[in-house]
Amino acid sequence: MKVGGVAYRAISLDGDGWGVRVIDQTVLPHRFDVVRLETVEDTARAIRTMLVRGAPLIGATAVYGVALAMRSDPSDASLDSAVELLAGTRPTAVNLRWALDHVRESLQELPAAGRADAAYRAARSVCDEDVERNRSIGRHGLAMLHELAGDAGRALERPLNVLTHCNAGWLATVDWGTATSAIYQGHDAGLQVHVWVDETRPRLQGATLTAWELGQHGVPHTVIPDSAAAYIMRKREVDVVIVGTDRTTGCGDVANKIGTYPLALAAADNEVPFYVAVPSPSIDWGTEDAGLIPIEERDAGEVTSVRGVDVEQVPRAVRITPAKSRAMNYAFDVTPRRLVTGLITERGICGASGDELRRLFPDHR
């Protein structure tokens, strides 16, 4: 995708071939900064502080973190330490563990002298595969959007209205995004599409990240408070909801950014299709009980204050609650599969059930 007309991936190698460049998502949309990571500690800090975030991008960043560790010290102890450090940064997104298991398995049998190069190759492969996976998700999602636009012979006299939550765009992946991939591909192909962007409290990833990247690409969009989504559905101004996922169980339940569950409830009550864009590394095949998914609880300060810039463009954090009030900050919730119209994967769209997932992914039976 492009920023100011220049093509970017959310993560890439720097010009020297070993340092890692990432976009600092904590300063968007007011500033566009690219940060260089040089150590595994840098990488862990970037994930933990959400300088990088989004399940697919977290996984890709973690593999590059292992590569940086191997460049410094390719020993078994260093490999185990790097994996342990990175695995503890974010508990809910399953891509992180998938990526770390993938790279550790590929490195363990290699002699120390070859581990750094192999780790960098693995990181590049993870990134390239993520791009193609998201492109495929978008292709299948776009077919669904075209079907909705012509549903029951109804030629829309307005753009197709898509509602999304949090940021499941290219900033959350290496490129294209998951929930946004079909939107970008449709926009590029001439489909008239408009996006309702949930602001997504408390960190406001919709208002700050999704709105920014849609604007960079020229996609018409409108930011709304999370609490307005149900009313807009009630007014029949939403044709489809598409969200991402941080972890989808083997039976189709979806853990995603907090606020996704009530959005699904509102969609069901108003008969609005509710789709989840699911790259296969986000599927937790070993978990069928959604109650076992670890739900991250983050710093209450993300709820009690907001960050932005003042009229002079000076960054500021402002408290919005009484000083002595307590706050709770669960980062994710779980949407039960009964509320999900379909899962959009790189292999096609399926129902939200274990049987349907295994039909598309028989290799995971």
Side-chain angles (χ1 to χ4, degrees):
M1 310 306 289
K2 292 185 177 180
V3 179
V6 178
Y8 280 88
R9 284 187 172 188
I11 186 169
S12 60
L13 281 179
D14 211 341
D16 57 13
W18 68 269
V20 180
R21 289 165 51 91
V22 296
I23 297 168
D24 183 351
Q25 300 190 31
T26 66
V27 299
L28 287 171
H30 310 295
R31 211 168 70 235
F32 179 74
D33 287 349
V34 176
V35 177
R36 178 180 166 94
L37 309 176
E38 296 187 346
T39 67
V40 65
E41 290 80 12
D42 288 346
T43 308
R45 191 178 309 110
I47 297 172
R48 188 177 297 110
T49 62
M50 297 182 71
L51 187 144
V52 297
R53 26 75 48 211
L57 182 58
I58 288 172
T61 305
V63 180
Y64 268 120
V66 173
L68 290 169
M70 294 299 92
R71 183 177 183 273
S72 174
D73 175 4
S75 67
D76 287 346
S78 175
L79 176 60
D80 291 342
S81 175
V83 169
E84 182 179 359
L85 173 66
L86 292 161
T89 54
R90 300 291 303 276
T92 303
V94 75
N95 300 62
L96 177 62
R97 174 53 66 182
W98 167 84
L100 289 172
D101 287 347
H102 172 78
V103 71
R104 174 152 60 182
E105 182 178 340
S106 68
L107 296 181
Q108 277 179 329
E109 302 304 318
L110 295 178
R115 285 181 174 176
D117 286 345
Y120 276 102
R121 286 195 299 273
R124 285 191 292 270
S125 177
V126 165
C127 289
D128 290 343
E129 289 170 7
D130 181 71
V131 174
E132 291 310 310
R133 192 179 292 118
N134 296 333
R135 195 193 312 272
S136 294
I137 286 172
R139 186 173 66 252
H140 295 300
L142 180 56
M144 177 269 293
L145 293 183
H146 278 302
E147 184 177 344
L148 284 174
D151 186 38
R154 172 174 56 91
L156 292 176
E157 296 180 359
R158 56 165 175 76
L160 187 73
N161 281 316
V162 180
L163 191 149
T164 191
H165 188 67
C166 193
N167 175 255
W170 72 266
L171 288 168
T173 67
V174 179
D175 210 344
W176 284 106
T178 56
T180 60
S181 184
I183 294 168
Y184 287 129
Q185 293 187 42
H187 173 79
D188 291 350
L191 178 68
Q192 298 298 304
V193 61
H194 166 266
V195 184
W196 296 109
V197 180
D198 269 5
E199 62 180 354
T200 319
R201 282 278 292 156
R203 287 189 63 90
L204 302 172
Q205 294 103 321
T208 60
L209 302 179
T210 302
W212 178 81
E213 63 169 78
L214 289 171
Q216 289 289 324
H217 204 74
V219 178
H221 63 279
T222 305
V223 177
I224 59 172
D226 299 357
S227 52
Y231 177 63
I232 294 173
M233 289 187 217
R234 185 73 172 173
K235 290 179 65 182
R236 303 300 177 204
E237 294 182 4
V238 178
D239 297 299
V240 61
V241 179
I242 309 178
V243 300
T245 179
D246 287 84
R247 183 186 303 219
T248 294
T249 68
C251 60
D253 298 315
V254 176
N256 192 49
K257 174 68 179 181
I258 194 80
T260 302
Y261 176 37
L263 195 63
L265 288 169
D269 192 54
N270 290 282
E271 299 181 332
V272 175
F274 184 94
Y275 285 90
V276 183
V278 184
S280 56
S282 295
I283 303 172
D284 183 357
W285 297 100
T287 298
E288 296 204 348
D289 180 356
L292 298 178
I293 297 175
I295 299 298
E296 180 181 2
E297 186 172 358
R298 294 185 59 80
D299 187 342
E302 294 178 354
V303 175
T304 59
S305 65
V306 292
R307 298 173 59 189
V309 296
D310 63 19
V311 293
E312 296 179 349
Q313 299 299 301
V314 176
R316 299 198 184 279
V318 181
R319 171 177 279 276
I320 58 174
T321 63
K324 294 184 179 180
S325 291
R326 298 177 59 191
M328 181 176 289
N329 185 16
Y330 288 118
F332 304 94
D333 59 23
V334 176
T335 298
R337 56 189 179 275
R338 63 182 173 81
L339 297 175
V340 177
T341 305
L343 306 175
I344 311 171
T345 79
E346 67 267 25
R347 296 187 183 179
I349 300 177
C350 69
S353 73
D355 288 343
E356 283 285 282
L357 279 169
R358 287 186 288 274
R359 176 179 62 81
L360 283 186
F361 297 91
D363 40 319
H364 287 282
R365 287 187 182 277

